[in-house]
């Protein structure tokens, strides 16, 4: 009690005692008592401080007195059970933390178990009656689920409480029918065994050595991930440091606090080793640690930018005007690259390497020389990666592409595309890493950018900004609110910048009446001031319209540049229309990006070439990455009666549809020659020509040897008498420069109907290839359906493995699938069979005039604001065919043990997922957040975790909701505002899609306590 005034923020004697113990431990540590060993910067061993320990006899006396006081207080109170819970500030509702309740306030029990059968239902869009969170409309398309309710004893209340943690109860939420059930107390939490362990990995980060060496520290490990896993499996390991030089894995009992000593580029001075670190502990501790680690990684990137800026300014002072102008535009070099910038053209910058720019984000596109087709891998589309819901898939995908860029001699990658899909029919929907959700894109782009920049290649994120349709893209204008910009369209770009992206490409279209590449609000206010970008801005090819306006508004580099507008800059400076300081700023941005990417430090592992290498840079390893990415992003829409995987032994299998057995696509007349795609990849600058495509027919024939027959027909005829018919259909008429005119999957309806008209029973499986959303009028006639998003050359191998069960589809929908007969555009009102009015998409303009053609003065008003993608479907209460995030597996999962707590101003949600099926599989729990100021949106994705769970296994899951996750952009104040600042409660929901929500909880952690 005497300590109480010193810890006024604590509200119980137990909290006081816990804090006192922690404080006394700090001041009584003896750093000189003993030593342990750890790695030096060069991999050798050094001595480090030991773990702290008690050594003062006085301390023992003080603690004994305090413990006696606690015991006396406990006996005197008679009813309060004292718990010490120093779990990184996590404060569960327990006996010691009884908060006085105001009239009508109740406590709720978070625990329930939900069994999800992901293989039974055809479309995952049917909802069981579920208690609704306050102010939330009842979802209409959640999957059927069962709840195991605890059998309450009729004995004393104490007996009921004792059972609370062993027998799950059905959740009852604020605003639901009936009163929520009372919170249960139990000693189970304090007496439970230590929870599951996890690690926060920090690639490229060199932490200080921890305290107390773990047995086996210093032994070699294959890589940083293996080193982290070794620490995770050791119950007394809190930190791992991995050195690539000697493959040393150094393990410590206690992790250091903070990142006082690190090298953000992963290299220690003078050694050349690449270091990585990991901090390990309980799953909740690591989830909280990961939040801090992400902020620290972003801070480390900013420090690298600061160093690069300093070096750039030092070099800039030495350059002559001609050297500076050479940095601001490309040249026609005949190199074979999409773009070429020669920084040595002025003669005074001899150590700078050329910027050899190339498309694209889906593989190296040698489209300037058709003879090079097949010398680089045709990877699956970025939308496939989005569908994977896997940051690790994104990292591996980017790393493989980067290796091929190095082999071709390119050091600037023109990608990734990050546009959030506003219009589902847009021609480049298959090229975006974001799908229809900014949070999804933000989580996937960071490992992509890190993999690119780590090899000395500048990642160019595009297209900034509001480049959300192809119709009229060169001349159209966009009007969009500041809130929609900050909440929907900017976040993936901001995340890429935080990861170190070195360049931004501005788009063709106008925004607020000004072309994007000469728009000061876009390039200075939103990009530099609000998003904090520190690299250089390049134009899209031919997107520079006026040299003065572009240079003074924030454009740094004009591409392709030869005979372009920026060739006038020397004259314009001489005339005083452009200031020399502006030229210095522009050139400084380019040099800063070059320094930040290591262009002056030989980070690039190959040779930057003056022309594209003609060598074949493909490999089996890259093809395996492409194949696995297809599998990770393949979405199982329906699997009636476990039709998949197929039992092939002794079966007659018919492959139906021309795209089962060919990769040839006949280019329509309205498509520009040379922009040809295939049935498995869209057209345009993101297309990579390939000579190595494996068709589904070829893939199945190579893998299946026990079938009676595998036959093919372009029509349905081969299906007559077959046991299984696999229909291949592709919506491949998709290309840069024009949008799709409808959402149908060509030939699917006709082929499926013809097969069902044949005699005999057969399984029908549709393998659809799509650039984005499609309608599924044929779904009720098929047994199973797989959807692939422009999968690329390894489609056949991947499809065969998934059909037979050698691999399981792991994707979830990154876009919402519309209902039958849905249209890209329609009349008034919107919502019946279309989303947009013509004023919203494609836009309206005055009648065509003899002086201009249709589209020249087109304006699209984004009046839907933040209601993009599933946000629109939820807010309008329109039922889609399949919701965002939906995807089945070949096994079954149960979700149970839901809990929610506070750690300061953060919300912690924990649950357990059990694989109750008979196959291994990937679960992808998703966390959605809603609060009053988010309106008109109902909820938004703020967490997902893709976890592989073996059959019979379980996986603990932890989600952390930060104040930033429950914030909105206040247009009136021109700033982000959190729900806590407005004293608003937050509804967190866990589900398997945006509609299939299995659990809700409405609470507030603004005061560090759970307030229901």
């Amino acid at each position: 009690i005497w300590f109480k005034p010193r810890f006024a923020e604590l509200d119980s004697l137990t909290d006081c005692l816990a804090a006192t113990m922690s404080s006394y431990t700090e001041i009584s540590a003896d750093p000189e008592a003993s030593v342990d060993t750890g790695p030096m910067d060069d991999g050798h061993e050094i001595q480090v401080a030991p773990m702290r320990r008690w050594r003062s006899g006085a301390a023992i006396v003080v603690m004994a007195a305090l413990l006696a006081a606690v015991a006396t207080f406990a006996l005197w109170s008679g009813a309060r059970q004292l718990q010490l819970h120093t779990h990184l500030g996590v404060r569960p509702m327990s006996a010691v933390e009884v908060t006085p309740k105001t009239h009508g306030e109740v406590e709720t029990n978070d625990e329930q178990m939900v069994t999800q059968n992901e293989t039974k239902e055809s479309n995952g869009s049917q909802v069981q009656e579920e208690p609704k969170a306050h102010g939330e409309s009842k979802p209409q398309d959640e999957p059927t689920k069962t709840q195991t309710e605890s059998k309450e004893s009729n004995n004393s209340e104490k007996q009921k409480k004792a059972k609370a943690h062993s027998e799950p109860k059905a959740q009852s939420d604020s605003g639901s029918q009936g009163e929520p059930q009372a919170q249960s107390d139990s000693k189970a939490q304090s007496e439970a065994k230590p929870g599951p362990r996890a690690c926060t990995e920090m690639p490229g980060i060199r932490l200080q050595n921890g305290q107390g060496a773990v047995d086996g520290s210093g032994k070699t490990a294959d890589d940083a991930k293996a080193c982290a896993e070794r620490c995770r499996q050791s119950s007394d390991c809190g930190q791992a440091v991995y050195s690539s030089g000697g493959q040393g894995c150094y393990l410590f009992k206690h992790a250091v606090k903070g990142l006082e000593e690190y090298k953000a580029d992963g290299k220690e001075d003078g050694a050349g080793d690449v270091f990585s670190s990991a901090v390990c502990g309980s799953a909740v501790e690591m989830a909280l640690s990961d939040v801090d680690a992400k902020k620290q990684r972003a801070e480390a990137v900013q420090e690298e930018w600061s160093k690069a800026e300093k070096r750039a300014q030092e070099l800039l002072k030495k350059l002559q005007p001609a050297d500076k102008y050479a940095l601001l535009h490309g040249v026609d070099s005949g190199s074979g690259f999409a773009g070429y910038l020669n920084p040595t053209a002025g003669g005074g910058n001899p150590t700078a390497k050329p910027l050899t720019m190339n498309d694209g984000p889906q593989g190296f596109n040698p489209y300037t020389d058709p003879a090079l087709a097949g010398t680089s891998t045709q990877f699956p589309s970025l939308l496939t990666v989005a569908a994977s819901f896997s940051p690790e898939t994104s990292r591996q995908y980017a790393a493989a592409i980067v290796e091929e860029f190095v082999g071709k001699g390119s050091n600037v990658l023109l990608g990734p595309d990050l546009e959030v899909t506003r219009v589902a029919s847009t021609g480049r929907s298959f090229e975006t890493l974001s799908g229809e959700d900014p949070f999804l894109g933000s989580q996937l782009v960071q490992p992509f950018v890190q993999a690119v920049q780590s090899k000395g290649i500048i990642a160019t994120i595009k297209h900034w900004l509001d480049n959300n349709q192809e119709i009229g893209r060169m001349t159209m204008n966009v009007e969009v609110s500041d809130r929609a910009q900050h909440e929907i369209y900017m976040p993936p770009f901001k995340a890429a910048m935080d990861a170190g992206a070195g360049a931004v490409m501005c788009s063709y279209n106008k925004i607020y009446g000004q072309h994007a590449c000469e728009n000061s609000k876009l390039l200075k206010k939103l990009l530099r001031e609000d998003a904090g970008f520190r690299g250089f801005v390049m134009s899209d090819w031919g997107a520079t319209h006026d040299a003065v306006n572009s240079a003074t508004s924030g454009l740094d580099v004009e591409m392709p540049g030869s005979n372009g507008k920026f060739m006038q800059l020397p004259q314009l400076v001489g005339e005083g229309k452009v200031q020399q300081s502006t030229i210095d700023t522009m050139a400084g941005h380019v040099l800063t990006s070059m320094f930040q990417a290591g262009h002056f430090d030989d980070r690039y592992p190959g040779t930057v070439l003056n022309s594209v290498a003609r060598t074949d840079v493909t490999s089996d390893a890259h093809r395996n990455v492409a194949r696995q990415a297809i599998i990770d992003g393949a979405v199982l829409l329906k699997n009636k009666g476990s039709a998949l995987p197929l039992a092939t032994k002794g079966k007659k299998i018919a492959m139906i549809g021309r795209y089962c057995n060919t990769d040839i696509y006949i280019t329509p007349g309205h498509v520009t020659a040379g922009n040809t795609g295939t049935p498995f990849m869209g057209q345009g600058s993101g297309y990579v020509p390939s000579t190595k495509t494996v068709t589904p027919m070829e893939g199945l024939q190579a893998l299946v040897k026990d079938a009676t027959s595998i036959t093919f027909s372009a029509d349905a005829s081969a299906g007559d008498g077959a046991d299984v018919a696999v229909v291949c259909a592709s919506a491949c008429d998709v290309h840069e420069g024009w949008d799709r005119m409808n959402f149908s999957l060509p030939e699917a309806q006709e082929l499926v109907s013809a097969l069902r008209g044949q005699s005999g029973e057969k399984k029908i499986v549709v393998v659809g290839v799509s650039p984005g959303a499609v309608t599924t009028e044929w779904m009720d006639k098929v047994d199973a359906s797989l959807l692939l998003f422009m999968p690329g050359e390894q489609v056949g191998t991947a499809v065969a493995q998934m059909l037979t069960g050698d691999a399981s589809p792991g994707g979830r929908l990154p876009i919402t699938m519309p209902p039958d007969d849905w249209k890209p555009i329609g009349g008034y009102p919107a919502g019946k069979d279309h989303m947009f009015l013509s004023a919203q998409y494609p836009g309206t303009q005055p009648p065509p005039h003899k002086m201009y053609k249709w589209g020249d003065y087109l304006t699209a008003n984004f009046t839907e604001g933040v209601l993009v993608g599933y946000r629109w479907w939820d807010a309008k209460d329109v039922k889609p065919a399949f919701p965002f995030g939906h995807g089945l597996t070949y096994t079954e999962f149960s979700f149970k043990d839901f809990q929610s707590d506070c750690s300061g101003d953060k919300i912690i949600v924990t649950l357990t997922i059990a694989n109750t099926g008979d196959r291994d599989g990937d679960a992808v729990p998703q966390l959605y957040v809603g609060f009053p100021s988010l309106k008109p949106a109902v909820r938004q994705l703020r967490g997902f975790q893709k976890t592989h769970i073996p059959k019979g296994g379980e996986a603990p899951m932890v989600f952390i909701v930060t104040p930033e996750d429950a914030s909105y952009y206040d247009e009136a104040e021109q700033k982000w505002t959190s729900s806590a600042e407005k004293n608003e409660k937050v509804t967190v929901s866990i589900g398997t899609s945006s509609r299939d929500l299995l659990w809700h909880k409405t609470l507030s952690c603004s005061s560090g306590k759970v307030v229901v």
Side-chain angles (χ1 to χ4, degrees):
I1 296 174
W2 177 79
F3 280 95
K4 188 86 169 182
R6 298 183 59 198
F7 299 88
E9 72 277 10
L10 304 180
D11 56 7
S12 74
L13 179 60
T14 303
D15 290 330
C16 177
L17 175 58
T20 304
M21 291 176 66
S22 176
S23 300
Y24 197 86
T25 302
E26 290 288 326
I27 63 175
S28 62
D30 182 0
E32 304 297 326
S34 61
V35 296
D36 295 297
T37 58
M40 291 182 64
D41 291 349
D42 59 1
H44 294 88
E45 293 184 346
I46 61 173
Q47 292 183 332
V48 298
M51 64 178 292
R52 294 172 175 170
R53 65 180 185 176
W54 291 89
R55 55 185 304 226
S56 170
I60 299 174
V61 174
V62 170
M63 292 311 303
L66 284 171
L67 289 172
V70 170
T72 302
F73 184 78
L75 291 172
W76 172 73
S77 64
R80 302 186 66 182
Q81 298 179 22
L82 299 180
Q83 288 183 325
L84 295 182
H85 194 78
T86 57
H87 193 60
L88 279 180
V90 180
R91 301 161 65 91
M93 295 297 288
S94 60
V96 76
E97 210 172 75
V98 178
T99 305
K101 296 186 288 291
T102 59
H103 178 68
E105 182 180 352
V106 295
E107 299 170 3
T108 65
N109 177 17
D110 291 316
E111 296 191 59
Q112 77 173 15
M113 180 171 67
V114 177
T115 302
Q116 181 199 15
N117 185 330
E118 293 200 82
T119 65
K120 303 297 184 184
E121 294 300 326
S122 64
N123 64 6
S125 58
Q126 297 179 0
V127 176
Q128 177 187 336
E129 290 291 332
E130 172 73 2
K132 300 186 294 295
H134 179 65
E136 182 176 286
S137 61
K138 175 184 175 296
Q140 298 184 17
D141 53 354
E142 297 184 7
T144 301
K145 61 181 183 240
T146 61
Q147 297 179 349
T148 305
E149 298 190 11
S150 62
K151 299 178 181 179
E152 293 293 343
S153 169
N154 291 324
N155 297 327
S156 68
E157 183 66 21
K158 182 177 179 180
Q159 289 175 310
K160 293 180 180 180
K161 291 180 178 181
K163 298 175 68 176
H165 288 274
S166 61
E167 297 184 358
K169 294 182 179 180
Q171 174 66 33
S172 189
D173 297 300
S174 173
S176 63
Q177 298 175 357
E179 289 297 317
Q181 298 179 16
Q183 172 75 22
S184 298
D185 298 324
S186 174
K187 294 181 180 180
Q189 189 170 10
S190 61
E191 296 174 354
K193 296 179 180 179
R197 288 171 53 81
C199 293
T200 295
E201 298 182 39
M202 304 177 186
I205 297 295
R206 169 66 161 89
L207 290 176
Q208 284 183 304
N209 294 324
Q211 297 176 336
V214 175
D215 290 344
S217 179
K219 293 183 178 179
T220 61
D222 291 340
D223 52 31
K225 190 170 288 293
C227 182
E229 177 62 16
R230 187 178 298 171
C231 185
R232 187 190 70 81
Q233 292 181 0
S234 175
S235 61
D236 59 348
C237 181
Q239 177 185 320
V241 176
Y242 177 77
S243 169
S244 67
Q247 293 186 310
C249 178
Y250 300 90
L251 307 180
F252 304 93
K253 293 180 179 179
H254 302 283
V256 295
K257 295 181 179 180
L259 294 172
E260 292 88 353
E261 295 182 5
Y262 62 84
K263 298 292 181 180
D265 61 1
K267 294 183 178 180
E268 293 292 339
D269 292 337
D273 288 351
V274 176
F275 286 90
S276 293
S277 304
V279 178
C280 302
S282 77
V284 172
E285 286 175 338
M286 290 304 98
L288 287 166
S289 174
D290 192 49
V291 173
D292 294 332
K294 288 178 180 178
K295 293 180 180 179
Q296 291 169 329
R297 285 193 289 268
E299 291 170 359
V301 169
Q302 292 306 310
E303 182 175 337
E304 288 301 301
W305 277 111
S306 296
K307 294 177 181 177
E309 285 174 348
K310 182 178 179 180
R311 295 177 68 185
Q313 291 303 311
E314 292 172 352
L315 176 58
L316 194 65
K317 294 175 183 177
K318 303 175 183 178
L319 299 184
Q320 298 301 311
D323 302 318
K324 299 174 183 178
Y325 291 129
L327 292 166
L328 307 184
H329 59 80
V331 296
D332 184 6
S333 66
S335 64
F337 296 107
Y340 187 92
L341 189 152
N342 183 11
T344 65
N349 193 9
T351 62
K353 295 179 174 61
L355 299 185
T356 51
M357 309 174 183
N358 212 77
D359 296 299
Q362 298 165 156
F364 186 93
N365 182 359
Y367 54 82
T368 58
D369 187 349
L372 295 181
T375 62
S376 55
T377 303
Q378 186 186 80
F379 288 89
S381 69
L382 281 175
L383 191 61
T384 297
V385 180
S388 75
F389 275 62
S390 169
E392 179 60 18
T393 297
S394 181
R395 185 195 66 79
Q396 293 180 2
Y397 175 97
I401 289 176
V402 162
E403 289 182 0
E404 298 199 358
F405 265 66
V406 171
K408 289 293 186 180
S410 175
N411 64 0
V412 179
L413 188 152
L414 301 176
D417 290 49
L418 296 176
E419 297 95 339
V420 173
T421 301
R422 171 183 180 254
V423 179
S425 58
T426 183
R428 302 185 76 171
S429 58
F430 66 97
E431 292 187 56
T432 175
L433 189 59
S434 300
E436 69 182 27
D437 186 72
F439 182 83
L440 177 64
S442 297
Q443 300 304 300
L444 298 180
V445 71
Q446 292 203 328
F448 189 107
V449 166
Q450 290 162 356
V452 174
Q453 297 270 156
S454 69
K455 296 299 183 182
I457 295 177
I458 295 175
T460 308
I461 50 179
K462 61 184 187 181
H463 302 84
W464 184 268
L465 190 61
D466 308 317
N467 181 211
N468 297 96
Q469 67 187 60
E470 292 298 288
I471 294 178
R473 67 172 180 160
M474 306 298 290
T475 56
M476 70 164 294
N477 177 51
V478 169
E479 296 292 333
V480 57
S481 70
D482 284 349
R483 181 181 174 189
Q485 293 283 40
H486 286 83
E487 291 188 26
I488 303 297
Y489 302 110
M490 290 172 57
F493 290 90
K494 176 67 168 70
M497 296 170 201
D498 289 344
V504 166
M505 182 186 292
C506 50
S507 55
Y508 289 119
N509 53 290
K510 300 174 185 176
I511 302 96
Y512 314 122
Q514 292 289 330
H515 282 288
C517 293
E518 54 185 58
N519 192 310
S520 60
K521 179 172 182 177
L522 251 66
L523 303 184
K524 289 187 174 180
K525 174 63 168 66
L526 297 182
L527 181 64
R528 300 277 181 193
E529 295 178 21
D530 292 359
F533 182 59
R534 300 170 76 173
F536 74 90
V537 180
M538 73 170 73
S539 73
D540 204 338
W541 270 228
T544 307
H545 298 273
D546 183 277
V548 174
N549 290 341
S550 293
T552 57
S553 297
L555 180 65
D556 299 312
V557 175
E558 179 188 12
M559 295 303 297
S562 294
N563 302 316
K565 307 296 182 183
F566 273 17
M567 300 297 288
Q568 307 166 15
L569 287 175
Q571 178 183 344
L572 294 171
V573 171
E575 296 172 352
K577 295 179 180 179
V578 176
Q579 299 299 312
Q580 182 61 48
S581 60
T582 300
I583 300 299
D584 290 347
T585 297
M586 297 161 65
H589 289 156
V590 178
L591 290 174
T592 298
S593 289
M594 295 173 69
F595 276 112
Q596 194 266 351
H599 282 199
F600 292 90
D601 304 315
D602 296 323
R603 186 187 302 173
Y604 188 81
T607 301
V608 179
L609 303 177
N610 290 319
S611 61
V612 174
R614 305 187 67 83
T615 54
D616 187 337
V617 295
T618 68
S619 67
D620 287 341
H622 294 169
R623 283 183 280 275
N624 286 337
V625 170
R627 173 190 53 78
Q628 189 59 50
I630 298 170
I631 293 168
D632 291 345
V635 181
L636 182 62
L637 294 175
K638 178 180 180 178
N639 197 20
K640 182 181 178 181
S642 298
L644 291 179
L646 299 174
T648 59
K649 186 174 182 180
K651 302 296 183 180
K652 297 178 181 179
I653 303 173
M655 303 295 287
I656 305 297
R658 54 180 170 169
Y659 293 135
C660 281
N661 201 30
T662 184
D663 64 347
I664 298 175
Y665 171 62
I666 305 302
T667 306
H670 61 274
V671 177
T672 303
N675 276 353
T676 56
T678 76
F680 312 118
M681 181 53 63
Q683 305 161 57
S685 58
Y687 172 70
V688 178
S690 176
T691 59
K692 299 180 173 69
T693 300
V694 180
T695 67
M697 180 73 174
E698 292 169 338
L700 200 64
Q701 287 177 324
L703 183 62
V704 175
K705 302 300 181 182
D706 59 357
T708 298
S709 62
I710 301 176
T711 57
F712 162 78
S713 65
D715 59 12
S717 60
D720 199 2
D723 299 303
V724 178
V726 177
V727 176
C728 303
S730 176
C732 49
D733 184 12
V734 57
H735 42 84
E736 182 178 345
W738 201 254
D739 294 342
R740 288 187 288 156
M741 295 295 99
N742 60 68
F743 289 112
S744 67
L745 186 62
E747 300 183 326
Q749 176 79 331
E750 295 79 7
L751 292 173
V752 169
S753 296
L755 288 168
R756 280 297 176 223
Q758 295 171 351
S759 60
E761 292 293 328
K762 65 173 65 67
K763 288 183 180 179
I764 299 178
V765 178
V766 170
V767 177
V769 173
S770 171
V774 291
T775 53
T776 53
E777 301 86 355
W778 37 267
M779 189 64 73
D780 61 343
K781 300 183 182 72
V782 305
D783 297 283
S785 178
L786 276 171
L787 186 64
L788 315 178
F789 295 107
M790 310 315 289
E793 68 175 46
Q794 291 302 305
V795 57
T797 305
V799 166
Q801 291 183 349
M802 288 186 287
L803 290 177
T804 60
D806 281 10
S808 298
R812 303 297 186 268
L813 286 176
I815 40 86
T816 300
M817 297 285 281
D820 298 351
D821 301 321
W822 198 255
K823 301 175 177 62
I825 188 174
Y828 187 87
K832 182 178 180 181
D833 60 0
H834 61 279
M835 181 180 294
F836 294 113
L837 300 177
S838 59
Q840 297 172 299
Y841 171 78
T844 55
Q845 68 168 35
H849 188 270
K850 64 180 180 180
M851 299 300 294
Y852 62 85
K853 60 183 179 179
W854 186 89
D856 284 356
Y857 292 91
L858 193 68
T859 292
N861 284 284
F862 290 16
T863 51
E864 73 282 353
V866 298
L867 297 184
V868 175
Y870 65 85
R871 291 168 173 82
W872 184 90
W873 297 90
D874 288 348
K876 301 299 182 181
D877 198 23
V878 178
K879 181 181 178 181
F882 298 94
F884 172 89
H886 168 74
L888 306 179
T889 72
Y890 289 163
T891 190
E892 300 174 12
F893 297 105
S894 68
F895 291 61
K896 59 183 181 179
D897 301 335
F898 294 95
Q899 292 285 334
S900 57
D901 294 304
C902 287
S903 176
D905 57 2
K906 300 179 183 67
I907 300 172
I908 301 176
V909 178
T910 61
L911 68 148
T912 301
I913 302 178
N915 185 340
T916 59
D918 56 3
R919 299 178 64 91
D920 299 349
D922 293 327
V924 187
Q926 300 157 39
L927 180 140
Y928 294 84
V929 170
F931 52 96
S933 290
L934 191 64
K935 293 178 180 178
V938 178
R939 66 182 69 88
Q940 59 188 7
L941 181 71
R942 280 298 179 267
F944 62 86
Q945 297 182 36
K946 191 167 194 174
T947 305
H948 186 76
I949 307 177
K951 62 179 180 180
E954 292 188 348
M957 311 299 296
V958 180
F959 289 98
I960 306 296
V961 180
T962 67
E964 292 79 10
D965 292 324
S967 298
Y968 75 104
Y969 189 79
D970 189 328
E971 288 186 314
E973 297 292 331
Q974 287 289 293
K975 69 181 185 69
W976 286 91
T977 301
S978 71
S979 59
E981 293 177 68
K982 303 195 73 173
N983 294 317
E984 296 176 350
K985 294 181 181 180
V986 177
T987 297
V988 290
S989 305
I990 298 290
T992 56
S993 78
S994 62
R995 290 289 184 104
D996 305 334
L997 303 175
L998 309 176
W999 173 87
H1000 309 273
K1001 185 66 172 292
T1002 299
L1003 68 166
S1004 170
C1005 287
S1006 59
S1007 63
K1009 291 178 176 294
V1010 177
V1011 180
V1012 179

